[in-house]
Amino acid sequence: SGEDELRVVGGESEHCSMAELVEVLPMLYQSYECTRFEGEELAKLCAQMGLGGTAVDGAYFCLEVNETTSLWFLLFRDDAAGPFSAEQYTHLADIAGILEQLASLSMITSKSEDISETLRKSKKRESVWLESLAWLNEMGGREFDKEQLLEFYRTALFQMKILVHAHAAVAFRRNLDDGSLETIADQETPDFIARMQALVEEKLAAGEFKPETHLKLHTNTSELLAELGLIELLVYPLFIRKDIRMVICVARQARVYDTHEEMVATLFAEGIEHIIERVHFLRAMRYHNRMLQKEKAEQEVLISKLQEAQEQLLQQEKMASIGQLAAGVAHEINNPVGYVNSNINSLDNYLGDLFSMLEVYGKAEAELGADHEIVKEIEQLKKDIDFDFMQDDVKDLISESKEGVVRVKQIVKDLKDFSHVDEAEWQWADLVRGIDSTLNIVHNEIKYVAEIVKDYDDLPKVECVPSQINQVVMNLLVNASHAIEERGTITIKAKKKDENFVYIEIVDTGKGIAQENLSKIFNPFFTTKPVGKGTGLGLSLSYSIAENHGGELSVETEVGVGTAFRITLPIRQEEPKADQEASVIGG
């Protein structure tokens, strides 16, 4: 009734306030058609009306008897009756419709057509409000790009204009960087837009906009509205955190906004504000996620580079240690080897003299005769020491000792040439000599798995850092030997490509490289060897060395057939290298 009281008929409770009932069933204001209760609503309503927990189903509908009184029908089904069937509910809805028609006829009888028109308009208005708010709720769950967001603003402004029967509406989107305003309007006059923008700028400058509040201007207090022929204006500032992001203006020409219209306009503006907040929150979140992903990727690259640099520095130190060791070995071995070589040569000469003297003694034996006691003693001694064999074997021992000394000297020389301890700068180097020196160093690892085939051209000297080229050749030779599972062949080619480039190619008859690994073999730390068998840096370092020399390291492979690695080098460097450091590892 008009006293905001509800009289209950058919329940144990006689009275309950409308506020109590609305708290239990907030949907009462939103439907004039027969509507079933939700489970939670049914339980709360039964408790409120003293029906206990016996109801298993229920429905309601209302009839507007007159301007001050509405008649509500609340129906409940207990355990014995069971829930409404679809047919029963349809009949109930038909009865509600018939009662609504009877109520409408009663109202027409008592108040003629005015009340009917009021009811129609009221139902239509509420329907429009609900549809608009439902649309806004749907938009709140969508993702928008820049163009879609602008279209949403235009549509929302148009919806708000229709919703409250505004004569004109305009929105201004505010740039947070410089405070400038961008107009969003539909079929509004330039004069109206300009006046509204001036008004918004004035209010912004004066700091009159506050969160969760709006301004309402009337023609009696605003000269601007009077000049524009408007009676009332609602101005809604929309905030993102503490910053004004948009201002919406809706103006009336004929009459002021009633309470319901202002409430709906406020709800609609708040809905737009929430969507704007969500859109900017998602954008900020995506931006920060991109920045985090970018930083993470940069950190991963940096960590990878640091790890690579660390391993490369260790490799540098190892090569430097090898160089120092080679220098020390060369110094310590060369002197005693020199002594041994000199002594063996001297011994060879002495033995030659001794054998010459023994030949003369042999002639003296012939003069003395075979029956001479001294001759018999000499013959017996020759038999005892196997003089003839010793004479031949001493020559072989001296020859083999000389060869051994030469071999030791060559190994020391190759070790020194491989490390180039005396050649730590860019220089003109004999690549073939470096290849052979390196091959001698790794010969012991290769000789059991592969035959070595050499195919060398008469190459010109190449401007390079010899120790680094030797390191590449060593890495490729070792990898080739590891790729051969049974006895195979490793072919070493040193060729002139053209007038400006030469290349070294290491070809093995191993198992080849799988296609899925081919694009990763030059990546730092990538290896197909078991844990502890490889660092994954050999090819990466070799690739870096080739690049630093202005060349390239390429590969051709076939699974089950073999692999060919080729390092191509320019004969002459484009820029002077005299002042550059020797090592490119890490550079």
Side-chain angles (χ1 to χ4, degrees):
S1 69
E3 291 77 21
D4 194 24
E5 182 180 274
L6 186 144
R7 182 176 298 276
V8 179
V9 180
E12 297 179 7
S13 175
E14 293 186 356
H15 298 282
C16 64
S17 69
M18 181 65 75
E20 291 174 328
L21 187 60
V22 169
E23 183 179 356
V24 176
L25 188 59
M27 288 295 292
L28 284 176
Y29 281 113
Q30 299 183 15
S31 177
Y32 283 87
E33 296 180 357
C34 184
T35 305
R36 286 177 101 160
F37 293 122
E38 299 291 339
E40 186 178 349
E41 294 172 343
L42 180 63
K44 290 182 178 181
L45 190 60
C46 287
Q48 183 70 33
M49 300 186 68
L51 297 179
T54 60
V56 296
D57 199 356
Y60 74 93
F61 58 89
C62 68
L63 303 175
E64 189 173 348
V65 178
N66 54 45
E67 292 181 351
T68 59
T69 303
S70 294
L71 183 61
W72 292 82
F73 291 84
L74 289 83
L75 300 96
F76 302 90
R77 301 274 288 188
D78 59 13
D79 291 327
F84 287 116
S85 67
E87 184 178 4
Q88 289 170 338
Y89 183 70
T90 302
H91 290 165
L92 184 60
D94 292 340
I95 293 172
I98 293 170
L99 291 176
E100 183 179 18
Q101 293 176 9
L102 291 174
S104 298
L105 290 173
S106 176
M107 292 172 66
I108 291 171
T109 303
S110 60
K111 294 214 54 176
S112 189
E113 297 179 356
D114 292 340
I115 297 178
S116 178
E117 182 65 18
T118 300
L119 177 61
R120 188 187 66 79
K121 290 182 178 180
S122 176
K123 291 174 68 175
K124 182 179 179 180
R125 180 177 64 178
E126 290 177 1
S127 176
V128 172
W129 288 353
L130 290 175
E131 289 177 3
S132 297
L133 292 175
W135 172 82
L136 199 60
N137 183 62
E138 180 187 351
M139 292 296 105
R142 290 190 179 181
E143 295 282 345
F144 298 97
D145 59 26
K146 186 175 181 181
E147 291 300 322
Q148 290 171 339
L149 185 61
L150 184 59
E151 184 61 29
F152 163 74
Y153 290 150
R154 293 194 185 100
T155 305
L157 184 65
F158 176 77
Q159 288 262 26
M160 192 170 182
K161 180 179 178 181
I162 298 299
L163 196 62
V164 296
H165 302 287
H167 169 72
V170 64
F172 300 99
R173 187 164 56 173
R174 184 166 175 261
N175 189 315
L176 298 181
D177 295 328
D178 57 12
S180 60
L181 299 178
E182 177 187 356
T183 303
I184 301 171
D186 180 44
Q187 297 181 349
E188 312 300 348
T189 65
D191 183 52
F192 173 77
I193 294 173
R195 295 290 190 95
M196 289 300 104
Q197 181 171 340
L199 174 66
V200 169
E201 290 174 345
E202 177 186 341
K203 300 298 181 184
L204 283 170
E208 295 186 29
F209 292 133
K210 304 296 180 185
E212 299 182 1
T213 60
H214 64 278
L215 301 181
K216 182 162 66 172
L217 305 180
H218 194 273
T219 186
N220 295 335
T221 58
S222 173
E223 295 182 2
L224 174 61
L225 296 187
E227 293 174 2
L228 292 173
L230 302 174
I231 192 168
E232 196 166 55
L233 174 70
L234 298 178
V235 183
Y236 290 93
L238 309 184
F239 285 78
I240 296 179
R241 298 182 183 90
K242 296 182 179 180
D243 297 315
I244 296 176
R245 187 67 181 88
M246 182 178 287
V247 179
I248 299 177
C249 304
V250 286
R252 269 278 181 81
Q253 191 174 43
R255 61 180 178 84
V256 298
Y257 296 101
D258 62 31
T259 303
H260 293 294
E261 290 170 336
E262 187 173 350
M263 177 191 70
V264 171
T266 302
L267 289 173
F268 201 81
E270 289 176 353
I272 297 173
E273 184 177 54
H274 292 325
I275 292 175
I276 294 174
E277 285 179 336
R278 179 179 175 277
V279 167
H280 282 268
F281 171 76
L282 291 176
R283 285 183 176 178
M285 186 173 66
R286 283 194 292 266
Y287 173 77
H288 288 302
N289 284 341
R290 287 197 301 270
M291 292 298 102
L292 288 174
Q293 290 296 330
K294 182 180 178 182
E295 290 178 6
K296 181 181 177 182
E298 291 174 349
Q299 289 174 355
E300 288 176 350
V301 171
L302 180 60
I303 290 172
S304 177
K305 287 183 177 179
L306 289 174
Q307 289 176 335
E308 183 180 359
Q310 182 183 22
E311 294 292 338
Q312 291 170 346
L313 287 173
L314 291 175
Q315 184 74 5
Q316 276 184 296
E317 292 176 2
K318 183 170 71 174
M319 294 303 295
S321 298
I322 291 174
Q324 293 175 356
L325 177 63
V329 168
H331 178 73
E332 294 298 327
I333 293 180
N334 275 338
N335 286 336
V337 166
Y339 301 151
V340 171
N341 186 53
S342 176
N343 292 342
I344 288 176
N345 287 329
S346 298
L347 182 60
D348 189 21
N349 293 332
Y350 293 159
L351 287 173
D353 293 340
L354 287 175
F355 286 138
S356 297
M357 187 178 68
L358 288 174
E359 287 179 3
V360 175
Y361 281 144
K363 293 177 181 179
E365 290 175 18
E367 293 294 330
L368 291 175
D371 296 331
H372 197 281
E373 290 297 325
I374 295 176
V375 172
K376 291 180 178 179
E377 185 178 351
I378 292 172
E379 288 297 327
Q380 185 61 43
L381 181 61
K382 285 182 177 180
K383 290 179 181 180
D384 291 341
I385 66 174
D386 196 357
F387 177 75
D388 292 335
F389 171 78
M390 182 181 67
Q391 186 176 9
D392 293 335
D393 194 41
V394 164
K395 294 179 181 178
D396 292 339
L397 292 176
I398 293 296
S399 177
E400 289 176 1
S401 297
K402 285 183 176 181
E403 290 178 3
V405 170
V406 171
R407 175 64 178 159
V408 171
K409 291 174 68 177
Q410 185 61 43
I411 290 173
V412 172
K413 181 177 180 296
D414 289 339
L415 184 61
K416 189 176 180 181
D417 287 344
F418 173 76
S419 61
H420 283 267
V421 293
D422 297 328
E423 302 174 2
E425 296 180 352
W426 290 83
Q427 58 187 272
W428 294 93
D430 184 345
L431 294 185
V432 170
R433 176 185 170 189
I435 293 171
D436 286 339
S437 298
T438 304
L439 188 58
N440 282 334
I441 298 298
V442 298
H443 178 71
N444 192 59
E445 186 166 355
I446 296 176
K447 65 182 181 181
Y448 299 108
V449 296
E451 297 290 338
I452 299 296
V453 177
K454 298 180 181 180
D455 183 8
Y456 299 157
D457 281 353
D458 184 14
L459 297 184
K461 288 191 174 183
V462 174
E463 188 179 10
C464 63
V465 180
S467 61
Q468 292 175 3
I469 303 303
N470 290 346
Q471 183 180 353
V472 174
V473 173
M474 182 184 71
N475 289 338
L476 298 180
L477 285 172
V478 171
N479 284 350
S481 68
H482 291 171
I484 297 174
E485 296 177 337
E486 298 179 359
R487 190 78 181 171
T489 302
I490 297 176
T491 303
I492 306 172
K493 299 179 181 180
K495 301 285 185 179
K496 188 175 181 181
K497 182 180 179 181
D498 53 36
E499 294 302 316
N500 299 313
F501 289 89
V502 298
Y503 67 85
I504 301 170
E505 191 169 74
I506 311 295
V507 184
D508 65 66
T509 57
K511 56 188 175 182
I513 302 171
Q515 189 65 35
E516 62 269 19
N517 295 330
L518 196 57
S519 62
K520 300 180 284 187
I521 59 173
F522 296 120
N523 293 347
F525 311 110
F526 175 79
T527 179
T528 57
K529 297 177 183 178
V531 176
K533 297 295 184 180
T535 63
L537 279 172
L539 288 178
S540 174
L541 295 177
S542 300
Y543 191 87
S544 297
I545 290 172
E547 277 195 331
N548 188 75
H549 278 74
E552 64 176 5
L553 180 61
S554 59
V555 59
E556 292 183 2
T557 185
E558 184 176 349
V559 175
V561 176
T563 302
F565 281 95
R566 174 182 290 190
I567 177 172
T568 304
L569 299 169
I571 297 174
R572 178 184 296 275
Q573 296 295 317
E574 293 183 0
E575 299 177 0
K577 300 291 185 179
D579 297 330
Q580 291 192 10
E581 295 184 0
S583 178
V584 300
I585 302 176

